[in-house]
């Protein structure tokens, strides 16, 4: 835990003592209503395989899918409150972690021979899906991120890079490339301080989609 989740004891204390008293503004509520609608909640819940492994809350996707007509009104209120307040309840952000051996590793006595898989609450995943759809569908021109453009992927990014290099070679020009190889790049929350992450989020005006996580 100390290797894969540095500072986990501090985070545990934050979970036990966390509270949130900031009242959302009218703008926050309007944004929450735009992101969370009954139609979008139904769409998000339908994305899951019915019997995927649940979090410690034991809620399978099938439970949400089969009971959605009864739950939908309550779920909309909860999800809108999460976005309006910019706060995720402790019960939703508590995950069950399973450590799985990395493929091809012959020495399983090393901690880094394993990778953690976090089984999160499907309620939290639904909030994530709703925000993701809002970013993809409602703000493509405001935030033109490569990852959120249809038809673009890691392959297309590499294709653009190679194309620029080949163009420079054909024109007998030079190309300067700077590559950053960061260990644990896909575990940013584990290797970056919460303060630095918040600074970046606020700088890019994404603070309405950033929730308090421990």
């Amino acid at each position: 835990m100390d290797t894969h989740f540095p500072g986990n004891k501090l985070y545990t204390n934050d979970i036990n003592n966390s509270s949130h008293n900031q009242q959302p503004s009218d703008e926050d509520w309007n944004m929450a209503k735009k992101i969370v609608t009954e139609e979008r909640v139904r769409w998000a819940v339908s994305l899951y395989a019915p019997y995927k492994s649940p979090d410690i809350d034991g809620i399978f996707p099938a439970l949400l899918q089969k009971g959605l007509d009864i739950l939908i009104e309550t779920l909309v209120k909860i999800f809108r409150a999460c976005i309006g307040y910019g706060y995720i309840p402790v019960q939703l952000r508590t995950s069950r972690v399973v450590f799985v051996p990395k493929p091809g590793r012959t020495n399983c006595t090393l901690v880094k021979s394993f990778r953690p898989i976090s089984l999160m609450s499907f309620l939290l995943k639904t909030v994530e899906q709703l925000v993701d759809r809002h970013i993809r569908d409602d703000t493509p021109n405001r935030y033109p991120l490569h990852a959120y453009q249809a038809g673009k992927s890691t392959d297309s990014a590499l294709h653009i890079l190679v194309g620029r290099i080949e163009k420079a070679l054909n024109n007998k020009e030079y190309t300067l490339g700077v590559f950053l190889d960061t260990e644990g790049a896909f575990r940013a929350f584990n290797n970056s301080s919460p303060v630095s992450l918040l600074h970046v989020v606020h700088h890019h005006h994404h603070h309405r989609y950033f929730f308090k996580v421990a």
Side-chain angles (χ1 to χ4, degrees):
M1 288 295 292
D2 291 337
T3 299
H4 289 285
F5 299 96
N8 63 82
K9 295 181 178 63
L10 174 62
Y11 295 158
T12 301
N13 292 333
D14 288 342
I15 289 177
N16 294 333
N17 299 321
S18 63
S19 61
H20 190 81
N21 299 316
Q22 182 177 352
Q23 294 298 316
S25 64
D26 291 340
E27 184 181 0
D28 293 329
W29 278 126
N30 290 334
M31 179 62 69
K33 291 178 181 178
K34 182 178 181 180
I35 295 174
V36 182
T37 65
E38 283 197 11
E39 179 273 328
R40 291 194 174 191
V41 171
R42 291 182 183 275
W43 162 82
V45 172
S46 70
L47 297 177
Y48 310 128
Y51 298 103
K52 289 197 68 175
S53 298
D55 179 32
I56 57 176
D57 59 16
I59 299 177
F60 287 87
L63 297 175
L64 297 175
Q65 294 164 350
K66 297 297 184 181
L68 195 54
D69 289 338
I70 300 173
L71 300 171
I72 187 67
E73 184 176 346
T74 301
L75 291 178
V76 168
K77 290 179 180 179
I78 292 173
F79 297 154
R80 284 180 178 174
C82 288
I83 293 174
Y85 280 92
Y87 179 81
I88 298 293
V90 173
Q91 291 81 356
L92 299 190
R93 50 187 163 96
T94 303
S95 300
R96 179 159 60 98
V97 180
V98 179
F99 292 93
V100 179
K102 293 180 180 178
R105 296 298 177 97
T106 57
N107 184 2
C108 289
T109 61
L110 301 176
V111 175
K112 291 197 174 182
S113 295
F114 296 82
R115 64 185 179 93
I117 295 179
S118 297
L119 300 177
M120 299 185 299
S121 169
F122 283 98
L123 295 175
L124 178 60
K125 289 183 177 181
T126 301
V127 177
E128 180 185 48
Q129 292 284 3
L130 295 171
V131 173
D132 179 76
R133 177 171 173 176
H134 173 70
I135 294 175
R136 290 177 183 273
D137 295 353
D138 302 336
T139 58
N141 296 324
R142 187 178 179 187
Y143 305 113
L145 304 177
H146 187 90
Y148 287 98
Q149 298 186 53
K152 292 189 176 182
S153 63
T154 303
D155 291 338
S156 63
L158 292 173
H159 177 73
I160 293 173
L161 173 63
V162 173
R164 291 179 178 177
I165 294 174
E166 290 178 342
K167 181 179 179 180
L169 291 174
N170 291 334
N171 294 333
K172 296 182 179 181
E173 299 174 344
Y174 292 99
T175 301
L176 176 63
V178 179
F179 301 89
L180 178 63
D181 184 10
T182 305
E183 182 181 2
F186 294 99
R187 301 200 309 275
F189 279 98
N190 298 339
N191 296 293
S192 302
S193 69
V195 174
S196 64
L197 291 172
L198 278 171
H199 175 75
V200 173
V201 169
H202 282 282
H203 178 72
H204 291 284
H205 307 292
H206 285 294
H207 58 281
R208 298 194 184 282
Y209 315 124
F210 190 80
F211 305 106
K212 181 178 179 182
V213 253

